Amino acid sequence: MEKNSLPLGLGMALVQNERAMKQFEALNDQQKQTVINKARKINSKEEMQGFVSYLSEGNLHF
């Protein structure tokens, strides 16, 4: 798996949350990589959904 590739769980959660998808798309490359790295450490669907919900609110402090 490439370092920059979007984890499947993150991709699925973003598709289900349009606002979070737009927030993610608006990030610069470094911010996107930070989100991807954090998402790789998430171990459950519920935790991923919470993370994406947090992202949808424009929160980048994690």
Side-chain angles (χ1 to χ4, degrees):
M1 183 182 301
E2 287 186 36
K3 179 183 174 190
N4 298 2
S5 65
L6 201 64
L8 182 61
L10 176 59
M12 291 174 62
L14 287 172
V15 167
Q16 296 174 8
N17 187 325
E18 185 178 348
R19 186 172 174 176
M21 176 70 84
K22 288 180 181 180
Q23 290 281 18
F24 182 78
E25 290 172 351
L27 300 176
N28 66 40
D29 289 344
Q30 183 178 8
Q31 292 170 319
K32 286 179 183 176
Q33 191 59 52
T34 298
V35 170
I36 289 168
N37 291 343
K38 174 66 177 172
R40 290 188 197 287
K41 297 176 184 176
I42 294 175
N43 296 314
S44 73
K45 179 180 177 179
E46 293 78 17
E47 189 178 356
M48 184 64 76
Q49 288 173 334
F51 176 66
V52 169
S53 177
Y54 185 75
L55 179 62
S56 76
E57 297 169 6
N59 295 311
L60 295 176
H61 307 289
F62 23 74

